[in-house]
Amino acid sequence: MKKIYFILTLLVIYFLPFSVTEASMGRNTLLFVPLDNRPVCLDYAVETMKAAGWNVETPPLEYIAGNDHSGNPDKLYEWLAARSATANAIVISSDALIYGGLVDSRTHQLPQDILTSRAERLLNLKSLGGDPLVYVFTTIMRSPKASSAPVEPAYYAEWGPKLFRMGVLEDKLDLKEISRKERKELSGLKVEIPQAVQEDRARRRSLNIATTELLLHGVESGNFDYLLIGRDDTAPYSQAHKEARKMDILVRELPKEKIRFFSGADQLGLLLLSRAASRVSYEIPMVYVDFAEGKGGETIPAYEDDEIAFSAAEHIHAAGGWPTANLARADLVLAVNTPFDGVTIEASNPKNTGTITEHTEKFVADVKRYLKQGKAVAVADIAYGNGADNALVRKLFEEEVAEKLAAYGGWNTAGNTLGFALGQGLLSKSMDTADLQSLLEIRYLDDWAYQANVRNKTYVELIWPNYWPNSGLNTQQVQEAEAVITKDILEIAEPVLGAKVSCYNFILPWKRMFEVEVSRK
């Protein structure tokens, strides 16, 4: 036992980057520059931190990228420079401070000298005064199978699937795993896809990789206390995977206590905010991970290229925690709902019927057992992509454990879900009951009611029959869609969550169907 305490003490000394004198100043303030103003990147993350008792300051909205405007890197930096001396920690998106935001990182036409100068000034954040912790998160450009403007260059509307396929084959070629037939297919794609399109894609990806490599110097020099690199939508074979393998070689040469590299993008801000809270509070929370039976931790989720067991461990380290195989020592249990066969299909798939299986019953029984032992439990529901497992949510409420969780997540990619559930779960110990319940309700209404059910229903009954776009809805279309969404969420969620559902608003903040913003009236 003495040996264990000694090791833990060494860990605390090793990881805590500033003195007791600084912590005793009691500033309790975090500066946060998000990827953009989407709810999951800004409002949900800030609400989580505030519920846990943290003062989180964010830049004026006009400086942050939105659906109708780019972010302003220069104004964001000026805002940071004026406030750094007041903060315990700075948590920033380099995509926002270099390109303007996540979408801008995929669509910009910025020259290398501007990108370099913006990256270099991030390396000097420590010199702004106050000596705050500096946490930076950045992304490797995604490889979407199909997408279009404004979130990708306009040519993706026509060439997106073939560009993705070309990336798959180039990755296989690089790995020497390509067949003769695939070599011929790759040659054909290089002839078919316009040269200007290929050059634009290659130029931007090359610039972004070079800029990310510059940020690695912040880890080497100590100018960054932590750098978190996320792989936005990827796959086991893809252009993003090819670039990530080469980046991983560089990352491995750096101290692991200063940098992590894994799948996902939208969860990175909350992960680093959670890390900042842990470090400022001199805590290293222990996390026990349990996967559903079947393929479990060996699952490689859709949109990702790592086994979920590896991803979970990396997320825990990034969030400021430490994985433990000893349940008795765990401050949090991260229960991960994986598909039995390891294949994560879309939540909108007709197979997501809500029929409770033995697989579901066993998982919920394990959650109940952890709760009875007095453990805080965060559920990361990744059985489906882009929405919750209807059977799991139904069973959680039937067994009256849904509202006893420390956190729940079931949105977008597995990494998004895992990171958010983990971050909220680690912070839940500092929340009062009302705030914790509100955060849980928002996740059920967003991840389950909307993403797994109402979104596709709205497509089928309103968007597609009227030949409306999936994104770029006009004002009248947005209003009509929001009215339908609100009605349908009330119908599906009130029988489960009760009358409290009517206390929430449901809007489409980016004038598209992909995300809804759930907020208190």
Side-chain angles (χ1 to χ4, degrees):
M1 184 62 71
K2 287 183 178 179
K3 183 178 180 181
I4 290 174
Y5 284 131
F6 176 71
I7 292 172
L8 287 176
T9 301
L10 286 179
L11 284 171
V12 171
I13 294 170
Y14 185 60
F15 281 121
L16 290 177
F18 54 84
S19 68
V20 176
T21 328
E22 290 173 343
S24 65
M25 293 171 66
R27 286 177 286 170
N28 204 34
T29 295
L30 308 176
L31 302 183
F32 178 45
V33 178
L35 269 172
D36 49 47
N37 71 3
R38 285 172 297 150
V40 293
C41 296
L42 178 57
D43 291 343
Y44 291 167
V46 171
E47 288 166 7
T48 298
M49 297 305 299
K50 288 185 175 179
W54 289 89
N55 175 37
V56 180
E57 296 183 9
T58 56
L61 281 175
E62 60 266 28
Y63 301 167
I64 302 172
N67 68 298
D68 57 357
H69 66 278
S70 297
N72 189 322
D74 294 330
K75 289 293 185 182
L76 290 172
Y77 187 82
E78 289 173 10
W79 178 85
L80 279 175
R83 288 163 178 76
S84 67
T86 68
N88 296 90
I90 296 173
V91 176
I92 58 171
S93 160
S94 72
D95 293 285
L97 280 149
I98 293 174
Y99 310 105
L102 184 61
V103 171
D104 295 292
S105 75
R106 306 169 187 159
T107 60
H108 72 86
Q109 295 293 339
L110 296 167
Q112 186 166 11
D113 60 335
I114 288 180
L115 297 179
T116 299
S117 67
R118 288 176 177 175
E120 287 177 345
R121 73 182 176 188
L122 291 189
L123 299 177
N124 295 317
L125 282 172
K126 287 268 189 188
S127 66
L128 294 178
D131 195 28
L133 298 169
V134 175
Y135 294 141
V136 179
F137 60 101
T138 193
T139 62
I140 299 294
M141 191 187 297
R142 72 178 184 172
S143 294
K145 291 185 179 180
S147 191
S148 59
V151 297
E152 301 289 346
Y155 53 72
Y156 266 80
E158 180 177 359
W159 297 105
K162 290 185 177 181
L163 286 169
F164 176 80
R165 181 61 181 167
M166 186 170 74
V168 168
L169 298 176
E170 287 178 334
D171 193 14
K172 285 189 170 186
L173 177 65
D174 194 58
L175 288 165
K176 297 180 173 56
E177 296 177 10
I178 193 169
S179 68
R180 183 176 299 177
K181 181 180 179 181
E182 288 172 329
R183 282 179 183 271
K184 186 176 180 180
E185 181 186 358
L186 178 58
S187 297
L189 287 170
K190 288 184 175 181
V191 172
E192 181 182 4
I193 299 171
Q195 193 65 28
V197 168
Q198 295 184 52
E199 289 175 357
D200 180 80
R201 169 178 170 270
R203 182 193 66 83
R204 190 177 297 105
R205 298 193 78 97
S206 177
L207 283 174
N208 288 14
I209 287 295
T211 304
T212 302
E213 290 177 357
L214 278 177
L215 297 178
L216 297 181
H217 295 310
V219 179
E220 294 174 318
S221 64
N223 289 325
F224 296 161
D225 293 285
Y226 206 81
L227 177 62
L228 184 51
I229 307 174
R231 297 195 293 277
D232 199 6
D233 294 356
T234 186
Y237 291 110
S238 64
Q239 181 65 29
H241 180 250
K242 177 184 173 184
E243 293 166 354
R245 284 187 292 104
K246 299 183 186 306
M247 179 64 64
D248 193 49
I249 294 171
L250 301 176
V251 169
R252 288 183 183 183
E253 296 176 355
L254 299 170
K256 295 203 76 173
E257 71 276 6
K258 294 283 188 179
I259 188 169
R260 294 283 164 172
F261 183 26
F262 50 72
S263 297
D266 295 345
Q267 79 275 27
L268 304 183
L270 181 59
L271 283 173
L272 285 188
L273 286 168
S274 173
R275 183 181 188 86
S278 293
R279 293 298 175 260
V280 172
S281 303
Y282 296 98
E283 295 176 344
I284 302 179
M286 310 295 281
V287 182
Y288 179 88
V289 185
D290 187 20
F291 297 96
E293 62 181 3
K295 193 79 170 178
E298 296 179 354
T299 298
I300 300 179
Y303 311 106
E304 300 191 0
D305 54 8
D306 280 324
E307 291 185 355
I308 197 64
F310 172 82
S311 182
E314 294 295 282
H315 275 76
I316 291 167
H317 285 296
W322 195 268
T324 179
N326 186 339
L327 177 61
R329 293 175 57 194
D331 300 294
L332 178 72
V333 173
L334 180 63
V336 186
N337 179 39
T338 47
F340 187 83
D341 62 0
V343 179
T344 55
I345 61 177
E346 292 297 295
S348 59
N349 192 291
K351 292 182 179 180
N352 190 10
T353 61
T355 301
I356 295 171
T357 64
E358 290 183 8
H359 177 71
T360 307
E361 289 179 342
K362 172 67 165 56
F363 183 81
V364 175
D366 288 342
V367 170
K368 289 180 69 176
R369 175 166 53 86
Y370 295 132
L371 290 170
K372 285 181 179 178
Q373 294 177 31
K375 295 297 180 182
V377 181
V379 169
D381 182 4
I382 67 160
Y384 294 90
N386 289 310
D389 179 348
N390 281 318
L392 174 62
V393 174
R394 176 184 165 191
K395 189 65 175 176
L396 288 171
F397 276 96
E398 283 184 1
E399 296 296 323
E400 299 182 345
V401 297
E403 295 177 333
K404 297 177 183 177
L405 299 176
Y408 168 85
W411 61 286
N412 289 15
T413 68
N416 294 159
T417 283
L418 192 70
F420 232 78
L422 175 65
Q424 289 190 330
L426 290 172
L427 292 158
S428 64
K429 67 183 184 304
S430 302
M431 300 177 189
D432 64 31
T433 302
D435 285 334
L436 178 55
Q437 287 304 305
S438 180
L439 292 175
L440 283 169
E441 288 164 10
I442 288 171
R443 295 267 55 85
Y444 291 127
L445 291 170
D446 191 330
D447 308 357
W448 166 64
Y450 179 72
Q451 293 196 39
N453 296 282
V454 172
R455 176 168 55 192
N456 197 60
K457 187 172 185 290
T458 309
Y459 276 133
V460 171
E461 297 179 1
L462 179 67
I463 303 297
W464 295 335
N466 288 299
Y467 300 99
W468 292 358
N470 293 341
S471 61
L473 298 168
N474 63 38
T475 301
Q476 182 178 346
Q477 290 168 342
V478 168
Q479 290 173 350
E480 289 186 41
E482 288 174 349
V484 169
I485 287 166
T486 299
K487 175 181 70 67
D488 288 346
I489 288 179
L490 289 172
E491 287 180 2
I492 192 174
E494 275 194 335
V496 178
L497 277 76
K500 66 186 78 170
V501 178
S502 63
C503 298
Y504 288 92
N505 288 313
F506 308 96
I507 65 170
L508 301 175
W510 273 40
K511 299 182 179 180
R512 64 182 187 179
M513 292 294 294
F514 188 72
E515 67 268 292
V516 70
E517 180 175 358
V518 183
S519 61
R520 282 265 181 189
K521 289 182 178 178

